[in-house]
């Protein structure tokens, strides 16, 4: 009868793998804990949590707070407002960023590295520094009546979209440019031999290869633009145009705030970003791990 002995390197790798999984589980739980606590609180009456505490066992669970939060805050129109800002902002940002990244990474234009550094440095500028200059500027830029009720950029969705694009463009250019540099040069050289111009190399060759990176960036950009609160509050004076993050203020009372109701509203606000991530999860993970096996 023979006994099989597991080699020491295999046992060490198994212990290391278990340690990594345990660490990732703890980190994931730490990130999910606030969301799970908000969901748990939103299903319980405020009187129950006030008496027994938020970490007590539930006596009664219901979805009443979700219906109340959606109705009392008028969340439907605010959802539309956020989508009007986030969807065009993400599409325009990715379109412009892919243009600049292609020029920097593949056309070898003069000063391309400096241009990439300038776009990257734009992310280091604190947003609060330019709030006042942009407020004054947007009040002086005219727009036709069919684009803005105020006849200026201020108090229009264009103001928020423009600022979102400006601040997110640098990060997207940085990521896409470095990703495009990892693509095989032979593919573009073959396209040139076949007579493909710059536009064909960009649209028919480069963009399809960048689909995972674009999906990963699109998920991140949608999350950041959708969850933004500062720019909508600064550049939109009409309350009916504010993004959905501002709808949570409608759930706060003057003298009393039901935090379970506020938790239900927060979960409803977070749902679109969760759905976008689940829809693009495969492409998002692929985009994050593309460089893992490269030299």
């Amino acid at each position: 009868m023979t006994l099989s002995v597991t080699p020491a390197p295999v046992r060490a790798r198994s212990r290391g793998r278990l340690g990594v999984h345990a660490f990732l589980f703890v980190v994931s739980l730490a990130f999910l804990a606030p969301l799970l606590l908000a969901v748990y609180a939103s299903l319980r009456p405020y009187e129950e949590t006030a008496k027994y505490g938020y970490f007590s066992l539930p006596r009664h669970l219901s979805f009443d707070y979700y219906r109340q939060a959606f109705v009392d805050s008028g969340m439907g129109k605010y959802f539309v407002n956020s989508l009007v800002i986030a969807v065009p902002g993400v599409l325009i940002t990715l379109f412009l960023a892919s243009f600049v990244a292609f020029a920097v990474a593949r056309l070898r234009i003069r000063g391309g590295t400096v241009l990439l550094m300038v776009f990257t440095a734009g992310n280091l500028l604190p947003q609060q520094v330019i709030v006042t200059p942009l407020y004054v500027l947007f009040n002086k830029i005219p727009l036709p009546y069919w684009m803005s009720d105020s006849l200026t950029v201020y108090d229009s969705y264009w103001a928020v979209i423009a600022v979102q694009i400006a601040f997110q463009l640098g990060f997207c250019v940085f990521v896409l440019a470095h990703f495009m540099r990892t693509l095989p040069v032979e593919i573009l050289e073959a396209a040139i031999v076949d007579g493909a111009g710059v536009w064909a190399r960009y649209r028919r060759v480069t963009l399809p290869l960048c689909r995972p990176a674009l999906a990963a960036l699109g998920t991140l950009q949608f999350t950041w633009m959708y969850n933004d609160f500062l720019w909508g509050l600064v550049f939109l004076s009409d309350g009916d145009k504010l993004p959905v993050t501002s709808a949570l203020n409608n759930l706060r009372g003057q003298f009393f705030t039901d935090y379970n109701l506020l938790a239900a509203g927060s979960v409803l606000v977070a749902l679109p970003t969760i759905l976008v991530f689940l829809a693009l999860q495969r492409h998002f993970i692929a985009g994050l791990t593309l460089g893992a096996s490269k030299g």
Side-chain angles (χ1 to χ4, degrees):
M1 180 177 181
T2 59
L3 298 176
S4 60
V5 179
T6 305
V10 175
R11 293 198 302 269
R13 285 197 300 269
S14 300
R15 288 195 297 268
R17 189 177 297 110
L18 288 176
V20 171
H21 288 170
F23 173 75
L24 293 177
F25 175 78
V26 172
V27 173
S28 301
L29 187 62
F31 276 94
L32 287 175
L35 178 61
L36 296 178
L37 181 59
V39 173
Y40 183 52
S42 66
L43 297 175
R44 304 176 63 188
Y46 179 80
E47 294 78 9
E48 180 180 308
T49 54
K51 182 178 180 180
Y52 300 104
Y54 283 95
F55 294 97
S56 60
L57 293 176
R59 272 72 173 175
H60 177 70
L61 297 175
S62 70
F63 291 94
D64 294 340
Y65 271 138
Y66 288 95
R67 178 190 55 78
Q68 185 179 346
F70 189 86
V71 174
D72 291 354
S73 65
M75 200 169 288
K77 64 179 179 181
Y78 295 109
F79 271 126
V80 175
N81 294 344
S82 291
L83 293 178
V84 168
I85 294 172
V87 173
V90 171
L91 295 178
I92 296 174
T93 299
L94 294 181
F95 177 72
L96 295 179
S98 62
F99 252 34
V100 178
F102 178 76
V104 171
R106 287 308 185 186
L107 296 185
R108 298 177 182 178
I109 61 175
R110 183 174 300 177
T113 304
V114 176
L115 181 63
L116 181 60
M117 292 175 60
V118 170
F119 273 94
T120 306
N123 290 334
L124 304 178
L125 182 66
Q127 298 180 353
Q128 293 80 2
V129 173
I130 63 171
V131 166
T132 301
L134 285 177
Y135 177 84
V136 175
L137 178 64
F138 287 165
N139 271 285
K140 294 183 177 179
I141 299 178
L143 285 180
Y145 70 91
W146 53 271
M147 294 183 65
S148 173
D149 297 336
S150 63
L151 301 181
T152 62
V153 176
Y154 177 74
D155 195 26
S156 70
Y157 295 123
W158 301 105
V160 183
I161 293 174
V163 174
Q164 294 284 9
I165 293 173
F167 269 97
Q168 302 301 334
L169 191 60
F171 173 75
C172 292
V173 170
F174 177 79
V175 173
L176 287 176
H178 284 279
F179 175 77
M180 289 180 183
R181 285 174 177 170
T182 65
L183 299 178
V185 181
E186 294 78 10
I187 297 178
L188 289 179
E189 291 178 346
I192 295 174
V193 171
D194 291 338
V198 174
W199 174 252
R201 279 179 279 157
Y202 164 77
R203 186 173 65 88
R204 297 182 179 179
V205 179
T206 305
L207 280 188
L209 295 175
C210 293
R211 187 177 302 168
L214 291 172
L217 283 175
T219 306
L220 292 174
Q221 293 300 315
F222 180 83
T223 302
W224 293 337
M225 294 184 186
Y226 174 86
N227 288 328
D228 180 73
F229 179 72
L230 173 65
W231 298 121
L233 189 65
V234 172
F235 297 129
L236 296 174
S237 61
D238 188 350
D240 292 334
K241 297 179 181 178
L242 291 174
V244 70
T245 47
S246 64
L248 297 179
N249 282 335
N250 298 336
L251 300 177
R252 302 178 66 93
Q254 183 177 1
F255 302 104
F256 168 76
T257 299
D258 188 338
Y259 290 102
N260 294 28
L261 177 63
L262 196 61
S266 301
V267 173
L268 287 176
V269 169
L271 276 180
T273 56
I274 297 175
L275 294 177
V276 168
F277 174 77
L278 292 177
L280 299 176
Q281 181 181 13
R282 181 170 60 87
H283 298 290
F284 180 76
I285 296 175
L288 294 180
T289 57
L290 277 173
S293 60
K294 293 189 181 294

